[in-house]
Structures are given as structure tokens and as C-alpha cells.
Amino acid sequence: MGLRSAFSHFAETAAVPVFAVAGGGAREAVGRLSQSPTVELVDTPAAATILLVAGSVPPSLNPALTAVHDAMPSPRGTIHWPLGADQGELPTTPSAPPIGPSADAADAIAHVFRALLSGAVPSEQPIQPNADPNPWRGIGPYGQGGSGMTGGTPYGRPMAELAPDRDGLRLDVLPLSVGPFFPRFPVGVTLEVVMAGDVVIEGRVTDSPFIGHESSFLAGPFLRALSHPAPVAEIELARAREHLRWVSNALVTQGLPALAMRVLRLAATVTPDDATSVTALIRRVRLLRVPQWSGAGVGRLAPELLPGLGLGPVSRAAGLREDARSTDPAYLALGFEPILGHASDAAERWRLRLAEASQSLELARRAGDRRTEQTGVVESPRGRLQAHDAPFQRLQPVIPDLLAGLEWGDAVTALVSLDLDPEEAGVAAIPSARADAA
């Protein structure tokens, strides 16, 4: 008992392993939570004790959420963190009441964690039935579910099939679905790929589950600017913070979590007077040569695919002068000129977002009380945003060409460089009255 008590004490004082699902309106809050020393956000449910469901989660994601819950080992518990949004009917039975708006999320998580370890709160039971994924028992010549060398579903799992390879051979290929809770992608991004080994033969991103989800709408200055003049300083500060959050996630993708956390803290506190901090960050990233060794030549998009799509940094990294700010008199009065690249690869998108973060802080510093003048369209951090039209949908058709032939690590790097945001795509379903009220 002494040894067990000692290990229990060590476990209770350690950072709580949490698998976080950042639903609608929760991305920034979950980012702040990750900075707590008492919480460790893990990349796989198998390493978690607590499942945190934050913000608004579309009901279409409930089956995947159930699978995440059941993939966690015992003891396990679920905590809901609505953040003022209607989460809808979730398939999990929470171990504690939802975290209230005035509660400290890290403290609430630690309390449930200690209760699970002590046995004061029982571990949650599996939600899915204990059944085979496919019928196989007694099927096939040996009753193992197979029907030959490559056919059937032996032991309930489908076999890989043969298909042409890029080298002209016929190799095993396996269809996979990655998401909607893959940590390197935003919640709601699901990538359907066909793999030959670690090479992507073909791939596509499915539609955003946030489209038509009533509780999902893009709050903040970019949505307000669609229907009303908005302070330029507020919009540009929000843009700089979004770009820095993207840099933080991209650094985690490249195996640099410590630097990523520093950037995330900077994103949470940056002001228009912090241009020197952003300049120091840009210098640090350049010295480390992160964009070059991770993204040079990766995810190159043919410029002829992009004109007119209005994909923000993705378009400008290809040298296209597509920026809705270029036609707004408020920005023209500040001497605004879009920053352009030329390589149209992941490395160039890195460089462009870092440069735009610095430019946005400078615009915010000089903007004074200027307000945008054009309405109906706004340049979000990801590109042209309008009612019923967001960058996510316009990016989907170019993704298959982007992914074909890439190794898996490069495919993830390429997709991260696009800054996909399915939650922003939810603006397509917003009634104008809700947009006006935001």
C-alpha cells in the first residue's frame, strides 16, 4: 500500500494529460489552457486521462468524439467547457458539471483528475458496444473473414488493395481517414487519403462540419467588418495574433514545442507596440531555418490554379496581389501594399505570414481611430471572406493536386501551411441578422 500511495501522490502532482477537442469558438481558450503548467495537452487519446470538449461541437462529429472517448485508457473522465456556446447533445457522460464561465479550467481539470485517481469518481465506461467492426467469424475458407490473398475483411479489418504506383508498379494501397480530431489540423478537418506505404496517392479534404451548425459562427472583428465599419487597429491586431497562432502550430508540427509555446504566449499578449518582439521571432525562425528545411519545395501550388480564389497568404505567396484591403480607402490612406512572395510553397507561406504579422502590428500602431469603409467583404487571415463564401471552400478543389505524390510528413506540412479553418467556413450559414448582431 505504501508503494501504491507513493505512486498515486506522484501522479496527482504531475501535469494532467488532457486530449482537448477545441470546437467552435474555443481555439483561443484551449490555447491559453495549454500554457498552464498543471495541464499537458497530448496528441493522442491513448495518452490522456481527461477528454476536454470545449466550445460548440457539431452533432455530425459525435461518432468520432465517441471513438476518441473509448480510445482513452481507464481511469478516464470527460469535462465539458461550453464557453457560452450551445454544445448540443454529446455522446459522452461527463465526470463533472460543465466548467462555468468564471471557473478556472485548469483547476477544474485537476480536481476531476485527482478524483479519478483516488476512486472518488468512477472511471467512465466505454460508449461503443464491444463488437467487431465488420462481420468476419465463419466467413471464408478458414473462417477468418478473408476471401483470398487480398480480399475480404480478415478478423474484421479490410485488406489493402492493389493499385498503380507512381513508379509504374502495382503496390498495396490503403484508404485512410485522418481527422476530424487530428491535433495538427483544426477540429473538423478530415483528410481522406489513399496511401501506398507513406506516400499519398490521392487525397481530399471533406466539407466543413460547421457549415449549417447553428451554434457555430465566426465571432470577432472579421465577422463584424462584413456588415459594419470596424476599427482598423482591432482588425490588424487580430490578424497578427492569428498569424502567430498559426506559426505556433506549425512549429509543433516540425517538432519544436518549446519555441511554439513561446510564440503562443506572444500571440496572447502582443500589442501594436510589440513589433520588436515579432521581429526577434522572425530572426529566430530564420536562424533556425525552419521554413527552409521543412517546407522548401513542399506543397507547391501552380500559380495558374490560384487567380481569383482570394486565398490570402496562399495566393500572395504565389505572387498574386489579391487582398481585399487594397480597395478599402482606410487602408489606402495608411499606404497599405500587400506583401508578395514568389515560390508558392510551404516555406514561402511561412515567410509571408511572419512578415504580415509584423506589417499588421505596424498598421495597427498607425491606424488611430480609422475604421474600414467597405462592407460585404473582408480580408480574413486566410483570405477573402464574404457571406456564403469562405477560403476553406475555395481551397478544397486545389488540395488533391497539392497532396498527390507527397510523403506523409510533407503532406502534413503542406496542409498546415494552407491554414485551413472549417469553423470560418461556418460563416456561410450565418443569417445576416446574426452577423449584424455579432
Side-chain angles (χ1 to χ4, degrees):
M1 288 296 293
L3 187 60
R4 181 176 180 179
S5 298
F7 278 116
S8 295
H9 171 72
F10 290 140
E12 289 176 0
T13 56
V16 182
V18 175
F19 188 86
V21 173
R27 201 175 305 161
E28 186 175 350
V30 170
R32 290 194 302 269
L33 178 66
S34 70
Q35 301 171 41
S36 170
T38 63
V39 171
E40 179 188 3
L41 298 189
V42 296
D43 284 348
T44 171
T49 301
I50 299 294
L51 171 61
L52 178 67
V53 184
S56 175
V57 178
S60 61
L61 299 185
N62 282 354
L65 190 60
T66 298
V68 166
H69 174 273
D70 287 1
M72 295 167 55
S74 296
R76 60 183 165 214
T78 302
I79 298 178
H80 295 170
W81 193 13
L83 292 167
D86 177 16
Q87 287 190 321
E89 294 295 326
L90 295 175
T92 56
T93 302
S95 295
I99 299 175
S102 60
D104 186 297
D107 285 348
I109 290 169
H111 175 75
V112 174
F113 179 63
R114 288 192 295 268
L116 283 167
L117 293 184
S118 67
V121 172
S123 176
E124 293 176 358
Q125 296 300 308
I127 300 170
Q128 296 175 317
N130 185 16
D132 294 320
N134 295 291
W136 62 272
R137 299 177 190 273
I139 299 175
Y142 302 103
Q144 87 287 15
S147 60
M149 289 294 292
T150 62
T153 55
Y155 304 103
R157 300 296 192 270
M159 290 283 288
E161 298 292 343
L162 293 176
D165 179 67
R166 60 183 177 178
D167 296 325
L169 304 175
R170 286 181 61 81
L171 301 177
D172 286 349
V173 297
L174 189 66
L176 295 174
S177 181
V178 182
F181 302 130
F182 182 59
R184 300 286 68 81
F185 303 156
V187 166
V189 170
T190 298
L191 174 64
E192 294 184 346
V193 289
V194 176
M195 304 288 296
D198 66 344
V199 176
V200 177
I201 302 301
E202 59 183 72
R204 72 180 189 96
V205 170
T206 62
D207 291 339
S208 167
F210 290 95
I211 295 176
H213 178 46
E214 183 63 20
S215 295
S216 163
F217 64 94
L218 186 66
F222 300 105
L223 177 61
R224 289 194 291 271
L226 283 177
S227 54
H228 300 291
V232 171
E234 181 184 12
I235 287 178
E236 292 307 311
L237 182 58
R239 188 187 317 278
R241 288 176 171 169
E242 282 286 294
H243 283 335
L244 290 174
R245 291 188 192 104
W246 175 87
V247 171
S248 176
N249 182 56
L251 286 168
V252 173
T253 303
Q254 300 306 323
L256 297 168
L259 181 57
M261 185 58 68
R262 290 176 58 183
V263 176
L264 190 60
R265 292 192 180 104
L266 176 61
T269 61
V270 71
T271 70
D273 297 324
D274 291 332
T276 54
S277 298
V278 175
T279 301
L281 168 65
I282 294 172
R283 187 181 303 114
R284 178 74 179 275
V285 171
R286 285 175 177 168
L287 286 174
L288 290 173
R289 298 185 63 81
V290 178
Q292 288 80 1
W293 57 254
S294 66
V298 173
R300 191 184 302 276
L301 283 169
E304 58 268 20
L305 297 175
L306 301 177
L309 294 183
L311 299 177
V314 174
S315 294
R316 293 190 287 275
L320 302 176
R321 297 178 62 86
E322 295 184 1
D323 194 315
R325 293 174 290 179
S326 298
T327 57
D328 192 309
Y331 282 93
L332 295 177
L334 291 170
F336 170 77
E337 285 288 337
I339 299 173
L340 303 180
H342 58 86
S344 193
D345 60 7
E348 193 78 323
R349 292 169 210 137
W350 266 88
R351 289 189 287 265
L352 199 97
R353 288 194 181 91
L354 285 166
E356 286 196 358
S358 181
Q359 180 193 48
S360 291
L361 290 180
E362 176 64 17
L363 288 170
R365 187 184 66 82
R366 295 191 293 109
D369 59 356
R370 286 187 175 86
R371 303 177 75 87
T372 58
E373 298 185 32
Q374 68 180 11
T375 56
V377 60
V378 64
E379 186 70 18
S380 86
R382 285 155 289 276
R384 186 181 69 244
L385 180 65
Q386 297 171 276
H388 308 290
D389 186 21
F392 182 89
Q393 294 98 318
R394 300 194 299 272
L395 267 168
Q396 283 178 288
V398 306
I399 288 175
D401 288 334
L402 179 84
L403 295 178
L406 292 180
E407 295 182 357
W408 175 244
D410 287 342
V412 173
T413 295
L415 279 178
V416 169
S417 76
L418 299 180
D419 194 11
L420 297 168
D421 191 346
E423 185 183 345
E424 186 178 61
V427 75
I430 302 171
S432 58
R434 291 251 336 247
D436 291 342

